[in-house]
Amino acid sequence: MKINEQRQGAVTVLKPEGPLIDKDATDFKSRAGTVIRDSMGRLVLDMSDIPFVDSKGLEVMVELAEEMAGQGQSLKLSSIGKTVREVLEITELVSHFDHFDDVNSAIRSFL
């Protein structure tokens, strides 16, 4: 899985490309953990190129959200596709995350 990283001011945007599954999810968690520490929790996950997530991907997302919540931060998701949104709703995990229609809205939420 390729993970693009972009800084916009004090906010880091991670944009994984491909499904968030199994080993890729573990690699993503490691990368996101580093970004969270380096960006003081100002992290946006651009999900526009994630077609679906499996149980491991969901587990990683929840773990990151809980880790950030423990530090008074929140994992901000943007550009969630229909399939991933349905998975989050079916599993009742949608409320674990702040989500936005686009990356710019998510970034502005830090202001």
Side-chain angles (χ1 to χ4, degrees):
M1 164 180 277
K2 181 178 178 183
I3 303 172
N4 296 308
E5 182 176 334
Q6 180 182 20
R7 294 278 298 188
Q8 292 194 17
V11 179
T12 302
V13 178
L14 287 183
K15 183 178 181 181
E17 295 179 9
L20 190 56
I21 57 173
D22 200 32
K23 181 185 179 313
D24 290 335
T26 303
D27 293 344
F28 170 74
K29 182 180 179 187
S30 175
R31 175 86 173 268
T34 300
V35 169
I36 290 167
R37 285 186 298 278
D38 293 346
S39 67
M40 297 181 293
R42 295 183 184 103
L43 174 63
V44 173
L45 175 55
D46 179 349
M47 300 189 68
S48 60
D49 287 338
I50 299 176
F52 62 92
V53 297
D54 69 359
S55 59
K56 182 63 175 178
L58 290 173
E59 179 183 324
V60 163
M61 290 172 60
V62 168
E63 287 173 357
L64 287 171
E66 288 176 350
E67 177 184 321
M68 292 179 76
Q71 299 171 15
Q73 305 159 343
S74 64
L75 178 58
K76 306 204 186 241
L77 309 179
S78 73
S79 310
I80 303 170
K82 181 181 177 188
T83 302
V84 175
R85 183 175 300 277
E86 287 176 357
V87 169
L88 290 173
E89 290 171 355
I90 289 169
T91 58
E92 298 181 1
L93 293 173
V94 73
S95 64
H96 278 72
F97 311 99
D98 288 340
H99 40 91
F100 300 86
D101 292 335
D102 57 69
V103 171
N104 289 331
S105 298
I107 290 169
R108 283 194 305 268
S109 73
F110 285 106
L111 301 176

